[in-house]
Amino acid sequence: MKKLSALVLFSAAALAGCAGSRDIALRYAPDFPGVPAGTGKTIVLAATEDARADKELGILTGFNAVFKKPPVKAPGQDIPAWVAGAVSAELREAGFKVAEEGGGLRLETRLKKFTTRAAAEIILQASLYRDGKAVFTREYAGRAPAPFMGKAADIEESFQNAMRQINVRLVYDVIGKL
C-alpha cells in the first residue's frame, strides 16, 4: 500500500511538472461580432485605472495548487495597459476612432479583478461620459475556463476569451448611447 501511494504521489508530481511555463504573454485579437456602427465617431479612451489590491494573476487549481507552484505571471507586461489596448482594439473593430484626448465621448475604465484559478476572471468597471456628463457606469465580468493542466498558451487564451466577453457587452453599450 505504501508503494502504491508513493507511486501515485510521484506520478502526480511528474504530471504537475508537465504543465509548462508559468510565464504568460498577454495578447489580444479583436473579434467584434457586429456591424461597425461607430464609423466616423471618435471616442477618447482614458488609461485603465488599476484598482486591484493584489497585482498577481493567481494560481491554477489541480496539481498546480496541490504542489504549490508559483503564481502565474505576465513578466514585463502592464496588465491595465493590456486591458485598455483590448478595449481600444474592439472599439476600432466596431468602427470608432480612438483618441487619447479630446471632447465628446470619453470612456474611463477601472480594473477590479484579473486572476486565474479554475478560470480566468476579469472584472472591469466602465464609465462613459458625453461632454463631461456621465452617460453610464457599469461593471462587466468575463470568465473563461482555464484547463486543469493548462500551459501558458491555454491561460493566455482563457484571458483573451474573458476579455472578449467584456468587450462585446461594453462596445454594444457604448453604441447604444450614441
Side-chain angles (χ1 to χ4, degrees):
M1 186 64 166
K2 286 185 179 184
K3 286 184 181 183
L4 180 59
S5 50
L7 179 61
V8 168
L9 185 59
F10 175 79
S11 298
L15 285 173
C18 294
S21 171
R22 308 284 293 160
D23 292 347
I24 65 171
L26 295 172
R27 297 176 184 87
Y28 191 82
D31 189 32
F32 186 71
V35 177
T39 301
K41 304 214 182 318
T42 299
I43 189 162
V44 175
L45 181 60
T48 299
E49 176 190 344
D50 193 353
R52 299 173 300 149
D54 184 8
K55 307 300 185 203
E56 294 293 332
L57 302 185
I59 58 173
L60 293 174
T61 57
F63 290 121
N64 293 322
V66 171
F67 293 102
K68 308 252 186 258
K69 288 253 185 176
V72 173
K73 296 184 185 299
Q77 295 180 81
D78 183 343
I79 292 169
W82 178 80
V83 169
V87 171
S88 175
E90 290 293 354
L91 287 168
R92 290 176 199 277
E93 190 76 7
F96 289 93
K97 293 177 187 169
V98 179
E100 293 179 15
E101 295 179 7
L105 289 174
R106 177 180 175 85
L107 182 63
E108 295 180 1
T109 54
R110 184 172 190 243
L111 182 60
K112 297 177 85 177
K113 186 174 187 178
F114 195 93
T115 59
T116 181
R117 286 181 173 49
E121 295 181 275
I122 303 171
I123 297 177
L124 186 70
Q125 182 180 8
S127 300
L128 182 67
Y129 298 88
R130 179 179 285 120
D131 298 321
K133 294 183 182 178
V135 176
F136 72 78
T137 296
R138 293 202 177 105
E139 190 168 277
Y140 299 89
R143 189 171 198 267
F148 182 70
M149 294 298 290
K151 294 187 169 127
D154 300 323
I155 299 166
E156 293 164 15
E157 184 177 348
S158 294
F159 276 116
Q160 181 166 277
N161 290 337
M163 195 68 218
R164 277 191 181 133
Q165 292 171 15
I166 290 170
N167 279 335
V168 168
R169 292 190 308 269
L170 175 58
V171 171
Y172 275 122
D173 284 349
V174 170
I175 289 169
K177 298 300 181 183
L178 291 180

